[in-house]
Amino acid sequence: MLQSKSFAKKTKQGRVIKVVREHYLRDDIYCGATFCKVCDTSAARLSASASATILIVDTNVVLNQIDLLENPKIDDVVVLSVVLEEVRHKNLSVYNRVKALCTNPLRKFFVFSNEHHRDTYVKDMIGESPNDRNDRAIRVAARWYQSHLGESTQILLITNDRENKKRATEEGISAETVESYVKSLGKPDLLDLVVLSSSVDVPMEDVEDLRPSKKKIIYSEHKPMSEVTSGLLHGIYHQGKLRVNRYNPFEAYVGSESISEEIVICGRANMNRAFHGDIVAVELLPQDQWRDGKSLIIDDDDDDEEEVHLVPNSADDVPRFENPVQPMSGSSPPVSSHPPGRVVGIIKRNWHSYCGSLDPMPMPAGNAGVAHALFASKDRRIPKIRIQTRQLGNLLDKRIIVAVDSWDCLSRYPSGHYVRTIGQIGDRDTESEVLLIENDINSRPFSSQVLACLPPLPWSLSLEDLANSNREDLRHLRVFSVDPPGCKDIDDALHCKPLGNGNFEVGVHIADVTNFVLPGTPLDEEASQRGTSVYLVERRIDMLPKSLTEDICSLRSDVERLSFSVIWELTPDANIVSTRYTKSAIKSCAALSYVEAQARMDDSRLMDPLTTDLRNLNSLAKIMRLRRIKRGALTLASPEVKFQIDTETHDPLDIGMYQIREANQMIEEFMLAANISVAEKILKHFPLCSLLRRHPSPTKEMLEPLLRTAAAVGLDLDVSSSKALADSLDRAVGDDPYFNKLIRILATRCMTQAIYFSSGDLSPSEFSHYGLAAPIYTHFTSPIRRYADVIVHRLLAAALGISRLPPIFMDGPQLTSIADNLNYRHRNAQMASRASVELHTVIFFRNRPTDTEARILKIKSNGFIVFVPKFGIEGPVYLVAKDKGSSDWAVDEAHQKVTKAGTKITYGILQTVRIHMEVVEPQPNRPKLQLTLIS
Amino acid sequence: MEYVDSLTGFRLDGRRPNDIRQIRAEIGVVAKADGSALFEMGNTKVIAAVYRPTEVQNKGQQINNQALVRCEYSMANFSTRDLQEDQRGTEISLVICQTMEACILVHLMPCSQIDIFVQVLQADGETRSACINAATLTLADACFPMRDIVTSCSAGYLSSTPLLHLNYVEDSARGPDVTVGILAKMDKVTLLQMGSKLPIDIFENVMQLAIEGCKAIAQYIREVLLENTKLLESRKGL
């Protein structure tokens, strides 16, 4: 059965070398048809009836029409290994999608290893290009199938390549293009999924016809790849990832290694068809064009107005306004120091599918016909996409997913195709799903392989667990947990025991998740991919399956649970005498909520042991907190919004700020201390592969908006260090009680986000955590909902000699990529939570127009941005109607004031104004929250 | 990299995980030597030759109750592109030497020296196994008294699958690999080397696979020897 064929091929790897590989041809590869009498049918996946049509697709069909193939109406497809290989080289994400299709038991997709089959292997012919050779291999395989399965079965080669189709027909193979095949199926909704190849492009009347000059070249041609490469080499062009400004889609930044600064790219013409996330080659604009970037913007009918959104929590979420106000006079050059550039070529596309909706448009005459519509993505960084549809009436009020196919320089918008419908616009479930998709959050149920890794329920503490010499039995201790009300995934608990010498023994007990999530299992892989649990207003998307999060790992009261404990001996002044780490078994005696814990501490009549423990802990926490603040930790404020949700309809009933109590701070303090202690321990043992968390100091530029605001209200802030900033924030007390909080909120948004990293990647001086003023920090205390903590648990267990360090930690690059993924997931989870709150805010105000107080945060030429403390949102208030070009309001930038010409009406920064909040629908199906001034 | 296609179950070169490579052997390729053989495993090609026992050259090394087995291993300059392969020469020659010593009845030839010459003509993974197999054939060809035929084969563990007979690409993955040499009929292991660590349960699977590979090779070698004997028979007109 084994035949050997050695073949030689040349590969280019800087130089030409000859590679000789063994290549075995075999006769035990089966056709995969269930009805086949010759072949072994145990692994067959194709149709059972001999009269079926079996499709063989070529590489370009897979690459371009993957959305079509994923539709369950397309079945009985043979994917040849030569096609699969080509797809893998050209587009990995499409390859993964095809692979998923081929392994999905519900779909009839079969992989045929034509390259290793004795009868279908083709040798290279002299003078034949690899493409032609592969096309020939596909045809040979098609012919083999036809002769193997006999005449009654139709084998159809699907190819859009004209030459290939012609040759196939000559060789007696039936071949069709995608369009003609799908048309022959008679299913109009499938046609929407077909990507039209440019050669057979239908004239695009509807959209383009509105423009007088129809075939005008709108974008300049991309430079050929060879020129781009040599340009990059000579430093004429700069390579980098294009990041579009979230708040102004006409402005983008390219961070390039070849130039220390970020290059700013203004206007779609300069962006030259690049999408957010593309790797592009950029050319710097000549000095004299440095400031007329604005004039280069193609005027677009996009509404470029700001929307009401949540208050940002860090600098990364803050809108960046390149040109906040017009410069006072022409004398001084504008503040922006970023050199402007222009995209000359795209090195790697970042196209994927986008969520959004169609722009409202009238029904074209004759509803059955093909309509061309513009799709607006929910992500404002993505330009509108032109699609063709036969079901326009159906789609207009739906959220849909659209994929991009091409963008040539003659067309203003990229063209794409419809992929699928999510649901009705404005519907809460639809919009929630949209925000999950947008943030790349996997909300699918856990697979059976993952669930197979779970211990059987009901789980209880076994004798083996207790017999383990590494596990200490701490069930006799009075352990309790304090969490938000209704919390089911309790991952931390505490105990506090006075010792004979006047000191206290304080223990932080964390759910022992790594006892159940073993490295390398499907469960572990899934958790590492998800990275974190995501908390939306009405639901939670778990990182681990429910039986672990809510039962087996959750440190609920009155049940015995496994935990990983950090136990300190603390003096009454909260100085650490000794630290001990151990795996343990505990039995929590009470699961308190913050409110309950606070009430117990405040009620002076209660003298039971639990309350005494709480009070002891609280007094220790206060000292620790004070010491931390003295060291320079920042007390930042972020207005967290809390919804009250109707249990039946899941609609928000009430909205308000989350109240922070002493009990919250107490728990936070001990968690911080545990995290720091664990960070020290793991770093000592594994200086090169510990997963830590750092918070970089904000740069001068990032603090600029804070300083400008502070200066306008006559406040002097010292930002030289976190300590100095913390002190000056403490001194910033205005006439009203909310002033200090407001300044802190402003300071918060100037900070960067904290990130995970592997200690081998940075030097120790870079480990520090700015916000906490700690030299090192990590996450240890929430392994149920964060994967970083799972990793840290494994590191700590290895440091204690309890278990071996999984081999993945030896692999530096792998560890870095895990940390990167965690940062990405973490950030997406935050964005999704914010988006969810925003969504519910709109739903809440839909039937409740409200008047409330707001504070002015930023002055603009036509209005100002206000912050609504009660609801934690911010948004624009316009003084001038949008369509009026000129305004009679003058901006005083130095004092951050806007004054109406000829009057004394003035609005200054941080001033209190009364506003009216209401949900309006300027366009059908596009509800948004509008803020207007009540004068 | 995916070394076993998850969709078809084939390895990069079209074999299944427990398929051996194509093997081919030829006896008597160096007519002047007393025994010689060419052994191919896939693209790996090894030539070996042996002369009858001689007097020990370096008297200090002489052993009074048994023969001294020495092995000279070399790689042809054209055998590979990879220069680092060369540095393992001393180690490989020692491995071959020890393996062969275990199967030759050395006590029958006291105070003598046996020189085995092995040269790699083309290296494409598994050179040491190929060398041992070639040496076995050579010794058999030269009619040395032997306990049994010793054969060698390697198995590795890549993409969570035990793989028999790693080729060059799989070998370069630097995954764990186990080289086993066995006395086929006696079912005794004479050589066991492992490149990196493996959990014990996986190791047992991998080793079992390698032993099966050794037995398949032994079967083939026996056939070749039988063929050769028949040829000699007919030549002698028996």
Side-chain angles (χ1 to χ4, degrees):
Chain A
M1 91 180 185
L2 208 60
Q3 293 198 354
S4 162
K5 267 257 162 72
S6 286
F7 73 105
K9 66 176 182 185
K10 282 178 183 168
T11 60
K12 234 185 226 165
Q13 208 173 41
R15 64 207 154 151
V16 180
I17 52 166
K18 186 179 163 197
V19 181
V20 183
R21 296 269 176 267
E22 284 152 56
H23 189 94
Y24 292 88
L25 300 184
R26 36 200 324 148
D27 53 9
D28 64 344
I29 296 176
Y30 305 121
C31 67
T34 319
F35 58 84
C36 181
K37 294 185 180 64
V38 197
C39 296
D40 177 6
T41 53
S42 58
R45 301 174 58 103
L46 296 175
S47 166
S49 94
S51 56
T53 304
I54 288 178
L55 307 179
I56 294 181
V57 289
D58 83 350
T59 311
N60 283 326
V61 171
V62 175
L63 280 173
N64 298 328
Q65 315 284 358
I66 182 72
D67 290 323
L68 177 74
L69 294 179
E70 278 177 347
N71 190 299
K73 283 175 189 136
I74 302 284
D75 249 329
D76 282 335
V77 178
V78 171
V79 184
L80 303 175
S81 60
V82 57
V83 170
L84 217 50
E85 196 56 21
E86 267 195 297
V87 169
R88 193 166 68 98
H89 279 301
K90 289 201 170 130
N91 190 332
L92 209 57
S93 85
V94 172
Y95 171 73
N96 286 331
R97 288 164 74 181
V98 182
K99 230 174 99 173
L101 277 179
C102 295
T103 46
N104 185 347
L106 300 173
R107 304 297 304 273
K108 295 173 184 162
F109 274 63
F110 181 75
V111 179
F112 180 71
S113 306
N114 67 318
E115 293 287 12
H116 291 294
H117 193 285
R118 198 176 44 185
D119 300 326
T120 56
Y121 174 69
V122 297
K123 271 194 145 177
D124 299 8
M125 289 204 296
I126 294 162
E128 193 181 39
S129 75
N131 252 333
D132 291 343
R133 186 235 165 234
N134 290 343
D135 282 347
R136 190 157 59 87
I138 293 169
R139 291 197 303 273
V140 168
R143 208 164 46 216
W144 179 84
Y145 257 93
Q146 188 70 72
S147 62
H148 178 77
L149 292 176
E151 288 305 314
S152 60
T153 314
Q154 197 199 358
I155 306 292
L156 194 58
L157 176 65
I158 306 283
T159 176
N160 272 359
D161 184 335
R162 224 170 272 163
E163 183 66 14
N164 196 10
K165 183 168 176 266
K166 201 182 91 197
R167 288 218 186 163
T169 321
E170 280 168 14
E171 290 170 20
I173 308 161
S174 33
E176 290 257 31
T177 62
V178 181
E179 287 91 337
S180 58
Y181 172 68
V182 174
K183 268 187 197 139
S184 74
L185 289 178
K187 298 202 178 84
D189 50 331
L190 277 187
L191 270 171
D192 272 8
L193 295 171
V194 174
V195 179
L196 296 176
S197 51
S198 48
S199 55
V200 258
D201 214 348
V202 233
M204 10 176 150
E205 298 119 40
D206 294 330
V207 178
E208 290 292 326
D209 250 5
L210 303 172
R211 320 262 171 203
S213 51
K214 191 171 157 191
K215 281 294 166 199
K216 202 178 74 179
I217 293 184
I218 296 174
Y219 301 103
S220 47
E221 202 70 62
H222 287 153
K223 296 261 191 297
M225 209 53 216
S226 54
E227 203 174 311
V228 170
T229 323
S230 74
L232 287 172
L233 214 62
H234 292 102
I236 309 166
Y237 302 146
H238 306 279
Q239 177 179 346
K241 198 178 205 172
L242 185 91
R243 289 176 294 113
V244 177
N245 187 338
R246 191 180 288 272
Y247 299 92
N248 177 7
F250 301 105
E251 186 177 81
Y253 302 88
V254 174
S256 176
E257 279 175 14
S258 48
I259 182 166
S260 55
E261 288 171 291
E262 285 195 328
I263 304 164
V264 59
I265 294 168
C266 294
R268 287 263 157 84
N270 282 338
M271 270 187 235
N272 198 357
R273 292 172 279 154
F275 266 55
H276 174 77
D278 288 354
I279 309 280
V280 294
V282 181
E283 168 188 55
L284 291 185
L285 291 177
Q287 204 85 19
D288 54 317
Q289 286 181 30
W290 269 39
R291 212 44 241 180
D292 50 351
K294 285 274 169 194
S295 64
L296 289 166
I297 294 176
I298 308 178
D299 72 301
D300 200 304
D301 36 20
D302 269 351
D303 51 336
D304 182 25
E305 70 187 56
E306 278 179 59
E307 283 171 21
V308 177
H309 51 81
L310 280 186
V311 173
N313 278 329
S314 76
D316 308 359
D317 303 333
V318 175
R320 295 166 80 167
F321 298 104
E322 195 50 39
N323 208 354
V325 280
Q326 308 298 310
M328 299 295 282
S329 61
S331 58
S332 62
V335 273
S336 161
S337 59
H338 297 303
R342 187 168 79 82
V343 173
V344 292
I346 289 164
I347 294 161
K348 192 163 184 288
R349 280 288 190 194
N350 182 39
W351 279 348
H352 48 96
S353 27
Y354 302 96
C355 272
S357 52
L358 294 181
D359 270 0
M361 61 179 280
M363 272 308 182
N367 201 356
V370 179
H372 296 266
L374 273 182
F375 163 90
S377 167
K378 232 184 144 224
D379 186 345
R380 300 185 67 216
R381 295 172 293 188
I382 306 302
K384 292 189 179 180
I385 300 164
R386 207 183 54 212
I387 67 162
Q388 224 188 66
T389 176
R390 287 163 190 76
Q391 36 176 347
L392 183 67
N394 252 335
L395 296 184
L396 271 178
D397 57 347
K398 299 283 197 312
R399 286 275 177 223
I400 59 172
I401 295 182
V402 159
V404 195
D405 302 319
S406 63
W407 195 351
D408 64 23
C409 54
L410 296 175
S411 115
R412 181 178 301 273
Y413 299 115
S415 50
H417 65 273
Y418 158 85
V419 179
R420 70 182 173 95
T421 305
I422 302 170
Q424 203 79 22
I425 294 179
D427 178 57
R428 199 195 49 243
D429 294 338
T430 308
E431 300 294 339
S432 286
E433 191 172 342
V434 167
L435 67 91
L436 289 178
I437 296 172
E438 268 197 311
N439 288 302
D440 194 9
I441 290 166
N442 178 1
S443 60
R444 282 189 292 272
F446 289 94
S447 68
S448 52
Q449 289 104 307
V450 171
L451 295 174
C453 302
L454 298 176
L457 284 175
W459 181 90
S460 64
L461 196 63
S462 69
L463 287 174
E464 291 110 79
D465 289 325
L466 289 172
N468 188 340
S469 62
N470 288 321
R471 196 172 288 283
E472 219 171 300
D473 188 355
L474 300 178
R475 286 177 296 170
H476 56 279
L477 288 174
R478 192 166 48 242
V479 174
F480 55 88
S481 62
V482 185
D483 285 284
C487 177
K488 285 184 181 147
D489 49 344
I490 304 174
D491 38 23
D492 50 81
L494 292 163
H495 86 266
C496 175
K497 188 172 83 178
L499 296 175
N501 57 3
N503 289 349
F504 292 97
E505 181 189 273
V506 175
V508 170
H509 311 277
I510 306 298
D512 191 6
V513 172
T514 48
N515 191 55
F516 305 100
V517 182
L518 301 175
T521 56
L523 176 63
D524 184 49
E525 306 261 308
E526 180 75 24
S528 118
Q529 269 313 305
R530 295 195 179 208
T532 171
S533 291
V534 181
Y535 291 81
L536 302 186
V537 171
E538 82 285 12
R539 66 188 274 220
R540 182 184 78 209
I541 294 131
D542 283 328
M543 177 182 86
L544 295 168
K546 199 171 175 178
S547 67
L548 279 182
T549 48
E550 292 189 358
D551 188 358
I552 300 172
C553 288
S554 181
L555 305 177
R556 295 178 305 157
S557 62
D558 299 324
V559 283
E560 293 171 342
R561 288 287 175 255
L562 298 179
S563 67
F564 209 156
S565 307
V566 178
I567 300 167
W568 301 285
E569 188 183 337
L570 295 178
T571 62
D573 323 327
N575 285 317
I576 297 175
V577 179
S578 67
T579 313
R580 196 155 66 83
Y581 312 85
T582 179
K583 292 234 176 182
S584 58
I586 58 159
K587 186 175 177 184
S588 168
C589 68
L592 305 172
S593 72
Y594 288 123
V595 187
E596 283 167 4
Q598 191 64 44
R600 270 172 181 269
M601 287 192 281
D602 293 346
D603 190 344
S604 54
R605 289 166 303 172
L606 284 177
M607 291 308 283
D608 59 303
L610 182 60
T611 312
T612 319
D613 286 352
L614 278 171
R615 290 200 188 112
N616 285 339
L617 281 176
N618 195 28
S619 58
L620 288 170
K622 275 186 185 159
I623 303 169
M624 286 158 76
R625 187 175 169 78
L626 209 65
R627 195 178 301 146
R628 194 161 57 84
I629 289 170
K630 219 176 259 172
R631 222 169 41 218
L634 294 173
T635 336
L636 299 171
S638 58
E640 291 216 33
V641 182
K642 184 82 186 148
F643 281 94
Q644 251 178 27
I645 299 281
D646 188 319
T647 43
E648 291 287 306
T649 60
H650 293 290
D651 281 333
L653 291 177
D654 198 7
I655 179 174
M657 303 283 271
Y658 189 77
Q659 202 188 341
I660 304 236
R661 296 182 176 81
E662 236 176 32
N664 298 44
Q665 294 182 338
M666 173 185 93
I667 297 296
E668 186 194 358
E669 209 52 53
F670 284 105
M671 295 307 134
L672 290 178
N675 285 335
I676 291 172
S677 288
V678 170
E680 283 164 357
K681 177 80 177 170
I682 58 173
L683 189 67
K684 196 173 111 200
H685 283 259
F686 305 109
L688 290 179
C689 61
S690 290
L691 185 80
L692 301 178
R693 190 166 171 84
R694 73 194 185 103
H695 184 207
S697 318
T699 59
K700 258 247 155 65
E701 279 168 24
M702 294 162 77
L703 290 166
E704 177 74 29
L706 174 66
L707 292 177
R708 210 182 309 149
T709 308
V713 293
L715 194 68
D716 186 27
L717 286 183
D718 182 359
V719 294
S720 53
S721 71
S722 67
K723 168 97 177 112
L725 179 59
D727 289 348
S728 44
L729 281 178
D730 284 342
R731 281 195 306 272
V733 191
D735 357 313
D736 67 308
Y738 203 72
F739 179 80
N740 187 269
K741 177 123 195 225
L742 211 55
I743 291 287
R744 284 186 198 277
I745 288 173
L746 286 176
T748 310
R749 64 170 59 184
C750 294
M751 302 295 155
T752 50
Q753 282 200 322
I755 49 174
Y756 297 109
F757 68 101
S758 158
S759 59
D761 293 349
L762 292 171
S763 65
S765 62
E766 293 169 296
F767 291 179
S768 70
H769 195 292
Y770 180 82
L772 297 172
I776 53 169
Y777 190 65
T778 191
H779 271 164
F780 170 74
T781 52
S782 302
I784 297 181
R785 56 187 178 85
R786 286 189 306 230
Y787 190 73
D789 303 53
V790 174
I791 295 180
V792 171
H793 274 231
R794 290 194 184 130
L795 282 163
L796 183 62
L800 298 174
I802 295 173
S803 62
R804 298 247 311 275
L805 200 61
I808 200 155
F809 289 96
M810 311 295 174
D811 188 352
Q814 181 95 25
L815 203 58
T816 309
S817 80
I818 289 180
D820 289 346
N821 181 50
L822 289 179
N823 289 325
Y824 171 72
R825 297 290 169 194
H826 199 75
R827 185 162 164 68
N828 281 2
Q830 279 185 329
M831 306 274 285
S833 302
R834 285 169 52 84
S836 174
V837 173
E838 279 168 20
L839 170 67
H840 281 80
T841 312
V842 173
I843 295 176
F844 178 76
F845 285 107
R846 203 180 273 166
N847 301 314
R848 300 180 181 84
T850 311
D851 291 349
T852 185
E853 248 177 32
R855 307 292 295 251
I856 295 175
L857 283 190
K858 183 174 269 158
I859 302 287
K860 299 189 75 181
S861 53
N862 57 349
F864 40 74
I865 309 273
V866 296
F867 163 58
V868 186
K870 194 172 168 201
F871 305 118
I873 53 173
E874 69 172 42
V877 171
Y878 291 99
L879 293 169
V880 195
K882 206 192 153 212
D883 40 2
K884 265 191 220 160
S886 65
S887 73
D888 42 3
W889 291 86
V891 175
D892 176 358
E893 206 191 349
H895 298 101
Q896 290 279 306
K897 264 185 196 157
V898 58
T899 315
K900 189 165 189 174
T903 64
K904 284 243 160 101
I905 306 173
T906 296
Y907 295 104
I909 199 151
L910 300 189
Q911 188 180 333
T912 310
V913 287
R914 276 195 74 75
I915 55 151
H916 177 71
M917 303 170 65
E918 190 177 6
V919 172
V920 291
E921 279 193 43
Q923 292 165 324
N925 299 322
R926 308 285 191 286
K928 62 172 206 170
L929 194 58
Q930 194 179 51
L931 311 181
T932 44
L933 194 65
I934 308 172
S935 41
Chain B
M1 192 164 169
E2 202 174 38
Y3 289 95
V4 181
D5 193 317
S6 54
L7 296 172
T8 56
F10 289 130
R11 285 151 73 173
L12 297 171
D13 56 7
R15 287 182 293 149
R16 290 188 200 279
N18 46 7
D19 282 349
I20 54 169
R21 300 168 90 175
Q22 163 135 318
I23 46 179
R24 198 178 79 83
E26 202 181 324
I27 289 179
V29 286
V30 184
K32 259 185 132 179
D34 295 313
S36 65
L38 181 76
F39 196 85
E40 287 177 27
M41 290 164 85
N43 282 337
T44 300
K45 199 181 266 195
V46 173
I47 195 166
V50 71
Y51 290 87
R52 66 193 55 181
T54 55
E55 247 178 70
V56 181
Q57 285 160 359
N58 183 350
K59 290 292 178 203
Q61 289 180 334
Q62 180 169 320
I63 313 168
N64 286 331
N65 55 2
Q66 66 166 74
L68 171 72
V69 180
R70 285 174 31 130
C71 172
E72 206 162 288
Y73 162 92
S74 65
M75 284 182 88
N77 288 337
F78 51 81
S79 66
T80 178
R81 224 162 245 293
D82 229 352
L83 291 175
Q84 60 175 14
E85 296 257 337
D86 272 26
Q87 294 160 2
R88 303 186 306 190
T90 329
E91 187 238 324
I92 292 187
S93 57
L94 200 69
V95 166
I96 299 170
C97 184
Q98 285 169 349
T99 314
M100 295 337 283
E101 198 177 337
C103 86
I104 302 172
L105 298 172
V106 277
H107 61 278
L108 299 180
M109 295 163 276
C111 304
S112 59
Q113 172 175 341
I114 304 169
D115 285 293
I116 307 171
F117 301 92
V118 192
Q119 186 168 40
V120 178
L121 298 182
Q122 187 166 286
D124 194 22
E126 290 203 292
T127 45
R128 77 184 63 192
S129 293
C131 288
I132 290 172
N133 295 334
T136 303
L137 265 177
T138 310
L139 291 172
D141 182 35
C143 304
F144 271 89
M146 284 156 79
R147 284 192 178 82
D148 193 357
I149 292 172
V150 61
T151 53
S152 166
C153 169
S154 71
Y157 188 73
L158 290 169
S159 303
S160 319
T161 326
L163 300 179
L164 184 60
H165 265 274
L166 303 184
N167 67 23
Y168 182 75
V169 186
E170 290 162 344
D171 202 26
S172 314
R174 297 267 173 262
D177 64 328
V178 177
T179 303
V180 178
I182 63 162
L183 295 170
K185 257 189 186 160
M186 302 163 74
D187 228 351
K188 278 191 175 157
V189 174
T190 57
L191 166 71
L192 180 59
Q193 285 191 308
M194 183 148 70
S196 56
K197 290 180 187 172
L198 265 179
I200 188 78
D201 46 334
I202 295 173
F203 165 75
E204 272 164 14
N205 289 338
V206 175
M207 168 140 172
Q208 199 51 46
L209 193 63
I211 288 176
E212 272 158 36
C214 289
K215 286 186 177 159
I217 292 171
Q219 180 66 32
Y220 177 75
I221 286 182
R222 209 165 276 134
E223 276 167 28
V224 171
L225 286 173
L226 208 62
E227 196 84 358
N228 188 50
T229 317
K230 278 183 189 152
L231 204 73
L232 289 176
E233 233 174 20
S234 66
R235 260 191 218 148
K236 286 191 175 171
L238 285 171

